[in-house]
Amino acid sequence: MKTAIVYKTVSGYTERYAHILRDRLKQDEVTLIPLDKFKPKMLNDCDRAVFMSRVINGSIDGFKTVVKHAQLFASKYTAVVAVGMTKPTDEHYHVVEKANIPYKLKGIPLFVVRGGFDADKLKGGNKMMINMMKTRLVKSPSRTPEEMAMLNFLAAKTDKVDASQLDGLIGYLDSGVFNPPPADTEFPQSEYWADLEDYMPAGYKKPAEDKR
Protein backbone atom coordinates (compact mmCIF):
# COMPACT_ATOMS: atom_id res chain seq x y z
CA MET A 1 0.00 0.00 0.00
CA LYS A 2 1.16 3.52 -0.79
CA THR A 3 0.12 6.11 1.78
CA ALA A 4 0.43 9.90 1.59
CA ILE A 5 0.34 11.84 4.86
CA VAL A 6 -0.49 15.47 4.11
CA TYR A 7 -0.04 17.65 7.16
CA LYS A 8 0.09 21.24 8.34
CA THR A 9 2.08 22.10 11.43
CA VAL A 10 2.76 25.36 13.25
CA SER A 11 4.40 24.40 16.53
CA GLY A 12 5.57 20.92 15.52
CA TYR A 13 3.00 18.77 17.34
CA THR A 14 1.11 17.72 14.21
CA GLU A 15 4.39 16.98 12.45
CA ARG A 16 5.30 14.65 15.31
CA TYR A 17 2.05 12.77 14.83
CA ALA A 18 2.78 12.53 11.10
CA HIS A 19 6.17 10.95 11.83
CA ILE A 20 4.66 8.61 14.43
CA LEU A 21 2.05 7.46 11.90
CA ARG A 22 4.71 6.91 9.24
CA ASP A 23 6.76 4.78 11.63
CA ARG A 24 3.73 2.71 12.64
CA LEU A 25 2.78 1.96 9.03
CA LYS A 26 5.83 -0.27 8.69
CA GLN A 27 4.48 -2.33 5.81
CA ASP A 28 3.57 0.72 3.72
CA GLU A 29 5.40 2.98 1.35
CA VAL A 30 4.71 6.28 3.11
CA THR A 31 5.29 9.81 1.84
CA LEU A 32 5.14 12.80 4.20
CA ILE A 33 3.88 15.94 2.47
CA PRO A 34 3.81 19.34 4.23
CA LEU A 35 0.64 21.12 3.14
CA ASP A 36 2.56 24.06 1.65
CA LYS A 37 4.31 21.58 -0.69
CA PHE A 38 1.16 19.64 -1.61
CA LYS A 39 0.04 19.28 -5.20
CA PRO A 40 -3.00 17.18 -6.16
CA LYS A 41 -0.97 15.00 -8.55
CA MET A 42 1.00 13.73 -5.54
CA LEU A 43 -2.01 11.54 -4.69
CA ASN A 44 -2.31 9.97 -8.13
CA ASP A 45 -0.29 6.87 -7.28
CA CYS A 46 -1.40 6.60 -3.65
CA ASP A 47 -3.83 4.05 -2.27
CA ARG A 48 -4.44 5.95 0.98
CA ALA A 49 -4.35 9.60 2.02
CA VAL A 50 -4.30 10.97 5.57
CA PHE A 51 -4.73 14.68 6.24
CA MET A 52 -3.48 15.96 9.61
CA SER A 53 -3.69 19.48 11.03
CA ARG A 54 -4.39 21.42 14.20
CA VAL A 55 -7.74 22.71 15.37
CA ILE A 56 -7.74 26.48 15.85
CA ASN A 57 -10.87 28.36 16.95
CA GLY A 58 -12.91 25.27 16.15
CA SER A 59 -11.61 24.94 12.57
CA ILE A 60 -9.18 22.41 11.15
CA ASP A 61 -6.33 24.57 9.83
CA GLY A 62 -5.80 24.19 6.08
CA PHE A 63 -8.79 21.88 5.66
CA LYS A 64 -10.03 24.02 2.78
CA THR A 65 -7.46 22.19 0.63
CA VAL A 66 -9.22 18.89 1.28
CA VAL A 67 -12.60 20.50 0.57
CA LYS A 68 -11.27 22.03 -2.66
CA HIS A 69 -10.07 18.62 -3.84
CA ALA A 70 -12.91 16.66 -2.21
CA GLN A 71 -13.45 14.34 -5.17
CA LEU A 72 -9.77 13.41 -5.28
CA PHE A 73 -9.52 12.74 -1.54
CA ALA A 74 -12.82 10.85 -1.55
CA SER A 75 -11.47 8.56 -4.29
CA LYS A 76 -8.71 7.42 -1.95
CA TYR A 77 -8.81 5.43 1.26
CA THR A 78 -8.81 8.72 3.21
CA ALA A 79 -8.88 9.81 6.85
CA VAL A 80 -8.68 13.19 8.55
CA VAL A 81 -6.84 13.75 11.84
CA ALA A 82 -7.64 16.90 13.85
CA VAL A 83 -4.99 17.78 16.44
CA GLY A 84 -6.43 19.88 19.25
CA MET A 85 -5.84 20.88 22.85
CA THR A 86 -9.08 19.42 24.18
CA LYS A 87 -9.48 15.87 25.43
CA PRO A 88 -10.76 13.73 22.52
CA THR A 89 -14.17 13.07 24.05
CA ASP A 90 -17.34 12.21 22.11
CA GLU A 91 -18.47 15.79 22.71
CA HIS A 92 -15.34 17.34 21.23
CA TYR A 93 -15.40 14.91 18.29
CA HIS A 94 -18.88 15.95 17.21
CA VAL A 95 -18.20 19.66 17.72
CA VAL A 96 -15.19 19.40 15.37
CA GLU A 97 -17.05 17.22 12.88
CA LYS A 98 -20.08 19.51 12.72
CA ALA A 99 -17.92 22.62 12.27
CA ASN A 100 -15.62 21.20 9.60
CA ILE A 101 -16.90 18.26 7.57
CA PRO A 102 -19.10 19.43 4.67
CA TYR A 103 -21.76 17.24 3.13
CA LYS A 104 -19.58 16.26 0.15
CA LEU A 105 -16.99 14.79 2.53
CA LYS A 106 -19.41 12.95 4.80
CA GLY A 107 -18.26 9.38 5.19
CA ILE A 108 -14.55 10.20 5.36
CA PRO A 109 -13.45 9.13 8.85
CA LEU A 110 -12.43 11.88 11.27
CA PHE A 111 -10.09 11.22 14.19
CA VAL A 112 -9.45 13.72 16.98
CA VAL A 113 -6.21 13.60 18.99
CA ARG A 114 -4.66 15.86 21.60
CA GLY A 115 -1.55 17.87 20.72
CA GLY A 116 0.30 20.60 22.56
CA PHE A 117 0.69 24.33 23.04
CA ASP A 118 3.75 26.53 23.44
CA ALA A 119 3.27 30.25 22.83
CA ASP A 120 7.02 30.68 22.29
CA LYS A 121 6.83 28.52 19.15
CA LEU A 122 4.18 30.69 17.49
CA LYS A 123 4.96 33.28 14.82
CA GLY A 124 3.20 35.92 12.76
CA GLY A 125 -0.58 35.99 12.88
CA ASN A 126 -0.75 33.06 15.31
CA LYS A 127 1.41 34.87 17.85
CA MET A 128 -0.53 38.10 17.33
CA MET A 129 -3.83 36.33 17.98
CA ILE A 130 -2.56 34.81 21.25
CA ASN A 131 -1.10 38.14 22.38
CA MET A 132 -4.43 39.85 21.69
CA MET A 133 -6.23 37.21 23.74
CA LYS A 134 -3.76 37.60 26.62
CA THR A 135 -4.13 41.39 26.53
CA ARG A 136 -7.93 41.13 26.61
CA LEU A 137 -7.82 38.75 29.56
CA VAL A 138 -5.24 40.77 31.48
CA LYS A 139 -7.24 43.99 31.05
CA SER A 140 -10.53 42.39 32.02
CA PRO A 141 -11.76 44.27 35.13
CA SER A 142 -13.19 41.15 36.73
CA ARG A 143 -11.82 37.83 35.47
CA THR A 144 -13.82 34.63 35.86
CA PRO A 145 -12.05 31.46 37.07
CA GLU A 146 -12.13 30.21 33.46
CA GLU A 147 -10.45 33.39 32.21
CA MET A 148 -7.78 33.11 34.91
CA ALA A 149 -7.24 29.48 33.93
CA MET A 150 -6.88 30.48 30.28
CA LEU A 151 -4.17 32.95 31.22
CA ASN A 152 -2.39 30.21 33.14
CA PHE A 153 -2.71 27.88 30.15
CA LEU A 154 -1.32 30.44 27.71
CA ALA A 155 1.73 30.92 29.94
CA ALA A 156 2.38 27.18 30.29
CA LYS A 157 4.02 24.74 27.88
CA THR A 158 1.71 21.78 27.36
CA ASP A 159 2.63 18.61 25.46
CA LYS A 160 -0.02 15.88 25.18
CA VAL A 161 1.29 14.09 22.08
CA ASP A 162 0.80 10.36 22.60
CA ALA A 163 1.31 7.64 19.99
CA SER A 164 -1.53 5.57 21.45
CA GLN A 165 -4.01 8.25 20.37
CA LEU A 166 -3.45 7.04 16.79
CA ASP A 167 -4.61 3.50 17.63
CA GLY A 168 -8.10 4.15 16.25
CA LEU A 169 -6.69 5.50 13.00
CA ILE A 170 -4.30 2.54 12.65
CA GLY A 171 -7.20 0.18 13.26
CA TYR A 172 -9.23 1.87 10.53
CA LEU A 173 -6.36 1.83 8.03
CA ASP A 174 -5.81 -1.88 8.71
CA SER A 175 -9.43 -3.00 8.64
CA GLY A 176 -11.45 -0.38 6.77
CA VAL A 177 -13.93 -0.37 9.65
CA PHE A 178 -14.78 2.96 11.24
CA ASN A 179 -17.11 3.40 14.19
CA PRO A 180 -17.59 7.08 15.09
CA PRO A 181 -18.78 8.03 18.57
CA PRO A 182 -22.58 8.08 18.94
CA ALA A 183 -24.22 11.42 18.28
CA ASP A 184 -27.35 11.24 20.39
CA THR A 185 -26.96 14.70 21.90
CA GLU A 186 -26.43 18.23 20.66
CA PHE A 187 -23.17 19.46 22.15
CA PRO A 188 -22.55 23.13 22.95
CA GLN A 189 -19.46 24.83 21.52
CA SER A 190 -17.07 25.88 24.27
CA GLU A 191 -15.64 29.40 24.22
CA TYR A 192 -12.18 27.96 24.83
CA TRP A 193 -10.23 25.44 22.78
CA ALA A 194 -8.28 23.85 25.65
CA ASP A 195 -9.07 21.85 28.78
CA LEU A 196 -8.72 24.28 31.67
CA GLU A 197 -9.28 22.07 34.70
CA ASP A 198 -5.55 21.74 35.42
CA TYR A 199 -5.05 25.51 35.17
CA MET A 200 -7.78 26.76 37.49
CA PRO A 201 -6.71 29.26 40.20
CA ALA A 202 -5.72 27.87 43.60
CA GLY A 203 -8.71 27.15 45.82
CA TYR A 204 -11.15 26.89 42.92
CA LYS A 205 -13.94 24.37 43.40
CA LYS A 206 -15.98 23.12 40.49
CA PRO A 207 -19.69 23.88 40.96
CA ALA A 208 -21.80 20.87 41.84
CA GLU A 209 -23.91 19.51 38.98
CA ASP A 210 -27.62 20.19 39.10
CA LYS A 211 -29.18 16.71 38.97
CA ARG A 212 -32.78 17.83 39.13
Side-chain angles (χ1 to χ4, degrees), residues 177-191:
V177 177
F178 175 63
N179 296 307
D184 298 330
T185 308
E186 284 293 322
F187 299 115
Q189 178 91 40
S190 173
E191 177 183 357

Side-chain angles (χ1 to χ4, degrees), residues 12-65:
Y13 302 103
T14 300
E15 185 174 23
R16 284 168 57 193
Y17 273 120
H19 282 265
I20 290 169
L21 179 59
R22 179 196 62 187
D23 294 343
R24 293 188 64 179
L25 296 176
K26 297 178 180 178
Q27 306 303 318
D28 283 21
E29 181 181 330
V30 180
T31 303
L32 294 179
I33 308 172
L35 184 59
D36 59 357
K37 305 291 185 184
F38 172 75
K39 297 184 184 305
K41 64 181 181 181
M42 293 177 174
L43 298 187
N44 288 347
D45 296 328
C46 291
D47 303 294
R48 307 192 295 201
V50 178
F51 179 82
M52 312 179 84
S53 187
R54 66 174 182 161
V55 176
I56 180 71
N57 290 334
S59 297
I60 302 174
D61 197 12
F63 192 64
K64 62 183 179 181
T65 297

Side-chain angles (χ1 to χ4, degrees), residues 109-161:
L110 169 69
F111 297 86
V112 177
V113 300
R114 204 172 182 191
F117 179 81
D118 184 347
D120 292 340
K121 293 182 178 180
L122 299 177
K123 299 178 181 178
N126 293 287
K127 195 173 190 68
M128 184 181 300
M129 181 186 69
I130 294 301
N131 286 338
M132 288 174 62
M133 180 183 292
K134 288 169 69 174
T135 299
R136 176 178 65 83
L137 292 173
V138 168
K139 290 184 176 181
S140 177
S142 178
R143 288 191 291 274
T144 66
E146 289 76 16
E147 289 173 331
M148 293 174 68
M150 193 65 192
L151 274 175
N152 292 335
F153 171 79
L154 294 175
K157 299 181 190 300
T158 306
D159 187 343
K160 299 294 183 180
V161 173

